[in-house]
Amino acid sequence: MSVLPIITWPDVRLQTECAAVEAIGPEIEQLVGDMFETMYTAPGRGLAASQVGVMRRLFVMDATWKEGDMNPLVCINPSIVPLSDARSTNEEACLSIVGVSADVSRPNEIELSYTGLNGKRVTAVIEGFAAVCAQHEMDHLDGRVIFDHLGAPERAALEAKYKEII
Ligand SMILES: [Zn+2]
Protein backbone atom coordinates (compact mmCIF):
# COMPACT_ATOMS: atom_id res chain seq x y z
CA MET A 1 0.00 0.00 0.00
CA SER A 2 1.16 3.50 -0.66
CA VAL A 3 0.17 7.03 0.17
CA LEU A 4 -1.26 8.79 -2.87
CA PRO A 5 -1.05 12.54 -3.54
CA ILE A 6 -4.32 14.30 -2.67
CA ILE A 7 -5.46 16.82 -5.25
CA THR A 8 -6.59 20.18 -3.97
CA TRP A 9 -9.21 22.80 -4.79
CA PRO A 10 -9.75 24.32 -7.34
CA ASP A 11 -8.60 21.30 -9.38
CA VAL A 12 -11.34 20.71 -11.97
CA ARG A 13 -11.56 17.03 -11.04
CA LEU A 14 -13.06 18.09 -7.69
CA GLN A 15 -15.84 19.78 -9.65
CA THR A 16 -16.55 16.81 -11.92
CA GLU A 17 -19.06 13.99 -11.48
CA CYS A 18 -17.50 10.53 -11.24
CA ALA A 19 -18.49 7.48 -13.32
CA ALA A 20 -19.66 4.16 -11.88
CA VAL A 21 -17.17 1.47 -10.92
CA GLU A 22 -17.87 -1.24 -13.47
CA ALA A 23 -15.92 -4.20 -12.09
CA ILE A 24 -14.32 -4.94 -8.75
CA GLY A 25 -10.93 -6.54 -9.34
CA PRO A 26 -7.27 -6.24 -8.32
CA GLU A 27 -7.04 -2.63 -9.51
CA ILE A 28 -9.91 -1.51 -7.30
CA GLU A 29 -8.59 -3.57 -4.36
CA GLN A 30 -5.19 -1.89 -4.73
CA LEU A 31 -6.82 1.54 -5.01
CA VAL A 32 -8.89 0.96 -1.85
CA GLY A 33 -5.77 -0.13 0.10
CA ASP A 34 -3.90 2.95 -1.07
CA MET A 35 -6.86 5.21 -0.28
CA PHE A 36 -7.06 3.93 3.32
CA GLU A 37 -3.32 4.42 3.71
CA THR A 38 -3.67 7.94 2.31
CA MET A 39 -6.70 8.79 4.49
CA TYR A 40 -5.17 7.53 7.76
CA THR A 41 -1.86 9.25 6.99
CA ALA A 42 -3.45 12.61 6.08
CA PRO A 43 -5.02 12.19 8.74
CA GLY A 44 -8.69 12.21 7.73
CA ARG A 45 -11.95 10.37 8.30
CA GLY A 46 -13.00 10.01 4.67
CA LEU A 47 -11.53 10.08 1.18
CA ALA A 48 -13.20 9.93 -2.23
CA ALA A 49 -11.48 8.40 -5.27
CA SER A 50 -11.71 11.73 -7.12
CA GLN A 51 -9.52 13.28 -4.40
CA VAL A 52 -6.67 11.05 -5.59
CA GLY A 53 -7.55 11.72 -9.23
CA VAL A 54 -9.51 8.51 -9.93
CA MET A 55 -12.86 9.58 -11.37
CA ARG A 56 -14.89 6.61 -10.14
CA ARG A 57 -17.79 6.37 -7.69
CA LEU A 58 -15.94 5.02 -4.69
CA PHE A 59 -15.06 6.35 -1.26
CA VAL A 60 -13.51 5.06 1.94
CA MET A 61 -14.31 6.33 5.41
CA ASP A 62 -13.71 5.64 9.06
CA ALA A 63 -15.73 8.03 11.18
CA THR A 64 -14.43 6.85 14.56
CA TRP A 65 -10.77 5.85 14.22
CA LYS A 66 -9.49 9.09 15.75
CA GLU A 67 -11.31 8.07 18.95
CA GLY A 68 -9.48 4.72 18.90
CA ASP A 69 -12.33 2.72 17.38
CA MET A 70 -11.47 1.54 13.85
CA ASN A 71 -14.45 1.15 11.50
CA PRO A 72 -13.06 1.13 7.96
CA LEU A 73 -15.82 1.23 5.36
CA VAL A 74 -15.50 0.90 1.58
CA CYS A 75 -18.44 2.27 -0.41
CA ILE A 76 -18.50 1.43 -4.13
CA ASN A 77 -21.25 2.96 -6.30
CA PRO A 78 -22.99 4.36 -3.22
CA SER A 79 -26.41 5.98 -3.04
CA ILE A 80 -27.95 7.99 -0.24
CA VAL A 81 -31.58 8.61 0.70
CA PRO A 82 -32.28 11.15 3.47
CA LEU A 83 -34.52 9.65 6.15
CA SER A 84 -35.15 12.63 8.40
CA ASP A 85 -36.36 16.16 7.89
CA ALA A 86 -34.22 17.05 10.87
CA ARG A 87 -30.91 18.57 9.90
CA SER A 88 -27.86 19.58 11.80
CA THR A 89 -25.03 21.91 11.01
CA ASN A 90 -21.48 20.76 11.52
CA GLU A 91 -18.15 22.39 10.87
CA GLU A 92 -16.67 20.34 8.03
CA ALA A 93 -13.08 20.25 6.86
CA CYS A 94 -11.82 18.64 3.65
CA LEU A 95 -8.46 17.06 2.81
CA SER A 96 -8.62 18.82 -0.56
CA ILE A 97 -9.38 22.26 0.91
CA VAL A 98 -6.76 22.52 3.61
CA GLY A 99 -6.81 25.38 6.10
CA VAL A 100 -10.49 26.37 6.08
CA SER A 101 -13.71 24.77 7.25
CA ALA A 102 -17.38 25.48 6.55
CA ASP A 103 -20.61 25.11 8.49
CA VAL A 104 -22.62 22.64 6.42
CA SER A 105 -26.26 21.68 7.06
CA ARG A 106 -27.25 18.08 6.25
CA PRO A 107 -30.02 15.58 7.13
CA ASN A 108 -29.30 13.81 10.43
CA GLU A 109 -30.26 10.34 9.33
CA ILE A 110 -29.70 8.66 5.96
CA GLU A 111 -30.04 5.32 4.25
CA LEU A 112 -26.67 4.48 2.69
CA SER A 113 -26.48 1.75 0.06
CA TYR A 114 -23.19 0.60 -1.43
CA THR A 115 -21.32 -2.32 -2.88
CA GLY A 116 -18.48 -3.65 -0.74
CA LEU A 117 -15.17 -5.04 -1.96
CA ASN A 118 -16.75 -8.51 -1.80
CA GLY A 119 -19.27 -7.42 -4.44
CA LYS A 120 -22.24 -7.62 -2.08
CA ARG A 121 -24.74 -4.77 -1.95
CA VAL A 122 -25.39 -3.45 1.56
CA THR A 123 -28.00 -1.01 2.84
CA ALA A 124 -27.55 0.59 6.23
CA VAL A 125 -29.26 3.34 8.20
CA ILE A 126 -26.68 5.68 9.67
CA GLU A 127 -26.79 8.88 11.68
CA GLY A 128 -24.57 11.27 13.56
CA PHE A 129 -21.02 11.93 12.46
CA ALA A 130 -20.89 8.84 10.21
CA ALA A 131 -23.85 10.25 8.25
CA VAL A 132 -22.08 13.61 7.91
CA CYS A 133 -18.94 11.88 6.70
CA ALA A 134 -20.77 9.69 4.13
CA GLN A 135 -22.67 12.69 2.73
CA HIS A 136 -19.46 14.73 2.47
CA GLU A 137 -17.74 11.94 0.52
CA MET A 138 -20.83 11.34 -1.63
CA ASP A 139 -20.71 15.03 -2.57
CA HIS A 140 -17.20 14.52 -3.95
CA LEU A 141 -18.48 11.79 -6.28
CA ASP A 142 -21.00 14.31 -7.63
CA GLY A 143 -18.36 17.03 -8.05
CA ARG A 144 -19.52 18.98 -5.00
CA VAL A 145 -17.44 20.33 -2.13
CA ILE A 146 -18.15 22.21 1.11
CA PHE A 147 -18.14 25.56 -0.76
CA ASP A 148 -21.21 24.43 -2.72
CA HIS A 149 -23.29 24.37 0.49
CA LEU A 150 -22.74 28.05 1.22
CA GLY A 151 -24.65 31.12 0.14
CA ALA A 152 -22.87 33.36 -2.37
CA PRO A 153 -21.43 35.91 0.13
CA GLU A 154 -20.24 33.21 2.56
CA ARG A 155 -18.72 31.24 -0.30
CA ALA A 156 -16.86 34.23 -1.71
CA ALA A 157 -15.46 35.09 1.73
CA LEU A 158 -14.33 31.53 2.46
CA GLU A 159 -12.81 31.02 -1.00
CA ALA A 160 -10.91 34.30 -0.60
CA LYS A 161 -9.62 33.13 2.79
CA TYR A 162 -8.56 29.80 1.26
CA LYS A 163 -6.74 31.50 -1.61
CA GLU A 164 -4.75 33.53 0.90
CA ILE A 165 -3.66 30.35 2.63
CA ILE A 166 -2.58 28.28 -0.39
ZN1 LIG B 1 -13.70 16.47 1.22
Side-chain angles (χ1 to χ4, degrees):
M1 289 193 288
S2 48
V3 174
L4 305 171
I6 297 175
I7 63 176
T8 57
W9 184 265
D11 191 298
V12 71
R13 288 169 289 182
L14 295 171
Q15 304 170 55
T16 305
E17 194 176 340
C18 296
V21 173
E22 282 169 8
I24 300 169
E27 270 181 37
I28 292 293
E29 286 170 15
Q30 166 94 41
L31 173 64
V32 165
D34 289 347
M35 283 173 63
F36 273 121
E37 185 95 355
T38 305
M39 180 189 81
Y40 287 127
T41 301
R45 297 179 195 258
L47 185 71
S50 54
Q51 291 180 277
V52 293
V54 177
M55 302 307 289
R56 292 286 170 178
R57 301 188 73 81
L58 154 66
F59 67 77
V60 299
M61 61 178 264
D62 188 334
T64 54
W65 75 274
K66 288 186 180 178
E67 287 70 52
D69 180 18
M70 301 260 297
N71 282 295
L73 183 64
V74 181
C75 296
I76 298 168
N77 297 332
S79 63
I80 286 177
V81 180
L83 294 180
S84 64
D85 290 332
R87 301 171 71 91
S88 56
T89 300
N90 293 279
E91 189 179 345
E92 294 185 25
C94 179
L95 295 176
S96 293
I97 310 177
V98 177
V100 299
S101 56
D103 288 331
V104 178
S105 165
R106 301 186 186 274
N108 288 340
E109 191 180 30
I110 59 168
E111 184 183 84
L112 172 66
S113 300
Y114 58 92
T115 301
L117 266 185
N118 61 5
K120 291 210 171 76
R121 196 76 184 163
V122 176
T123 298
V125 174
I126 59 173
E127 59 181 359
F129 188 74
V132 172
C133 197
Q135 290 176 88
H136 178 114
E137 300 314 324
M138 187 72 180
D139 274 353
H140 278 302
L141 305 185
D142 292 326
R144 286 161 56 85
V145 297
I146 51 177
F147 291 136
D148 295 305
H149 288 268
L150 304 177
E154 292 83 4
R155 178 180 184 136
L158 196 62
E159 284 207 69
K161 188 178 166 194
Y162 172 70
K163 278 174 190 145
E164 274 177 25
I165 293 168
I166 56 170

